[in-house]
Amino acid sequence: MYQKIKKNKQNPIQYQNLNPFKEAEKKYKFYAGLQTDFSELIDVNNLNEQQMEQQGIHKNGSVYQFDYPQGVIQVKGFLNLDDQIRISKLCMNEYINQPYRTNLFIYKEDENFDKFIVHDDKRYHFNNKIRWANVGYQYDWNNRQYPQEKTQVPDPIQEISQRANNFLQLQNQYQSESVIINFYQSHDYMTGHLDDAELDQDSPIYSFSFGLSSVFVIGGPTKDEKPIAIKLDSGDLLVMSGHARKCYHGVPRVLADSFNPKQYCLIKHIRNPFQQQQLDGNVNADFHVFNYLSEHRININTRQVYKPQLEQ
């Protein structure tokens, strides 16, 4: 599902014989030399009341509920800048290490990844071969199921998930049992898929965005339904609940140069946190996390795997 963009595609995009979901994916993907039509991209920051009414979006403070697909909720700026840096730092420094698992486990142990590692005091430390990390129940990507192996979900992720559930009051109890952390470079994308391996298909999925903005598409239970496209910014919370929990969704585009933390701090009147720091071994400080997020997107999505009566 997680793919690197193909570069230098100069030919016009061909839409013949594509289902509506695939057509939307191709529409928003980055193609070198071609201009993307973002006219249908929903950026709730730029909608007036009439436009929201026309598109079936209901605003209550920072919360935006969508009529289609039913159960999609966007909360703008749910995580403040301190939260974003604190959680991103943990993703970069801790959640990619054992006992947690990353995509690197599928490669041979003698594989040389040195060429993918960025280690620069003026930038950050990270192995850009890492595409995802998994904490909690360890999802079996080949067989699309959850075996019994699991790690404890770290308290900071449990905390933001519980905070999201308490804020929206979608259900009485919510426990993050499996967490996927996706690391996107600026031209990466995630193809459309269903999150249908969990026995609990009723509890919501909470998805948190960090760094570069993205285009998120979500449609219906099949790819024959036309999806909508929503712009997600750093700090946003996106929720798939109810009907939307069972719908196809994906990220066809990460928007390069969309996260400028220095400008963000000026707008929010936040003290300047950008004093350069040295890497302490392979450990990133706040300075390095800011730099990483200006070039990448991190997405954390949490879900319950088992219904309470089936939990093992």
Side-chain angles (χ1 to χ4, degrees):
M1 291 185 298
Y2 193 96
Q3 306 202 21
K4 190 75 176 176
I5 203 76
K6 294 180 180 180
K7 297 181 179 180
N8 301 321
K9 181 165 182 171
Q10 300 291 339
N11 297 325
I13 302 173
Q14 301 297 317
Y15 292 109
Q16 291 87 345
N17 301 319
L18 296 179
N19 60 56
F21 193 96
K22 186 66 176 178
E23 183 175 328
E25 287 185 307
K26 293 198 73 171
K27 173 180 178 178
Y28 289 109
K29 280 181 185 175
F30 171 81
Y31 296 106
L34 295 180
Q35 187 172 358
T36 304
D37 177 9
F38 289 111
S39 61
E40 294 184 335
L41 176 64
I42 299 173
D43 182 353
V44 294
N45 283 332
N46 295 330
L47 297 181
N48 58 38
E49 291 185 8
Q50 181 179 3
Q51 290 171 322
M52 282 192 283
E53 183 177 354
Q54 290 172 346
Q55 299 197 45
I57 302 172
H58 310 278
K59 182 179 186 296
N60 182 8
S62 61
V63 179
Y64 297 81
Q65 292 186 289
F66 292 72
D67 286 343
Y68 175 84
Q70 182 275 325
V72 171
I73 304 170
Q74 183 179 13
V75 184
K76 294 298 297 181
F78 180 76
L79 297 177
N80 63 32
L81 190 62
D82 287 340
D83 285 335
Q84 294 171 46
I85 298 306
R86 175 175 58 88
I87 300 296
S88 296
K89 187 192 297 185
L90 290 168
C91 292
M92 295 176 66
N93 290 336
E94 297 186 21
Y95 301 157
I96 58 172
N97 299 316
Q98 292 184 346
Y100 313 119
R101 191 176 64 170
T102 74
N103 60 292
L104 297 189
F105 88 97
I106 66 177
Y107 298 97
K108 295 180 181 178
E109 291 185 2
D110 59 356
E111 196 94 30
N112 185 354
F113 295 117
D114 288 350
K115 64 182 179 179
F116 299 103
I117 295 175
V118 176
H119 185 91
D120 187 340
D121 284 329
K122 296 181 179 180
R123 296 179 67 198
Y124 53 82
H125 174 89
F126 199 73
N127 181 350
N128 281 324
K129 189 68 174 178
I130 296 175
R131 300 302 193 189
W132 55 259
N134 185 189
V135 305
Y137 279 103
Q138 301 294 294
Y139 183 59
D140 183 344
W141 296 85
N142 292 327
N143 296 310
R144 289 184 53 76
Q145 64 182 13
Y146 285 94
Q148 292 305 303
E149 293 83 4
K150 67 175 180 178
T151 67
Q152 184 173 352
V153 175
D155 288 343
I157 294 182
Q158 286 285 14
E159 188 277 326
I160 60 173
S161 302
Q162 296 287 349
R163 195 196 314 174
N165 190 65
N166 293 340
F167 179 72
L168 294 170
Q169 298 183 335
L170 293 181
Q171 60 185 53
N172 291 332
Q173 294 182 340
Y174 184 87
Q175 188 75 13
S176 295
E177 294 180 321
S178 185
V179 181
I180 306 297
I181 305 170
N182 295 305
F183 299 91
Y184 293 84
Q185 298 183 56
S186 59
H187 289 157
D188 291 339
Y189 62 91
M190 178 81 74
T191 56
H193 61 281
L194 296 172
D195 289 326
D196 56 359
E198 297 80 24
L199 293 182
D200 185 349
Q201 289 287 297
D202 298 319
S203 296
I205 290 179
Y206 293 116
S207 179
F208 304 88
S209 293
F210 306 81
L212 294 178
S213 301
S214 66
V215 176
F216 175 79
V217 294
I218 182 165
T222 73
K223 291 187 175 182
D224 292 326
E225 292 190 31
K226 182 179 179 179
I228 61 171
I230 305 171
K231 182 173 181 280
L232 300 179
D233 298 315
S234 191
D236 285 358
L237 166 65
L238 190 285
V239 184
M240 292 181 290
S241 64
H243 173 71
R245 176 65 178 80
K246 303 174 180 66
C247 292
Y248 272 93
H249 57 280
V251 180
R253 182 74 169 268
V254 174
L255 302 172
D257 303 318
S258 57
F259 180 72
N260 185 333
K262 292 184 179 180
Q263 184 66 26
Y264 182 97
C265 290
L266 289 173
I267 294 173
K268 299 292 184 180
H269 304 291
I270 301 173
R271 64 177 176 81
N272 183 359
F274 294 97
Q275 184 176 1
Q276 183 172 340
Q277 297 171 269
Q278 300 294 310
L279 285 164
D280 181 9
N282 294 337
V283 178
N284 294 281
D286 288 0
F287 170 81
H288 307 107
V289 176
F290 275 109
N291 290 338
Y292 180 86
L293 292 179
S294 69
E295 301 176 13
H296 301 78
R297 176 180 187 250
I298 298 176
N299 168 242
I300 296 177
N301 57 83
T302 73
R303 73 282 309 282
Q304 288 192 178
V305 177
Y306 297 103
K307 293 185 177 182
Q309 65 270 26
L310 297 177
E311 190 165 359
Q312 306 189 10

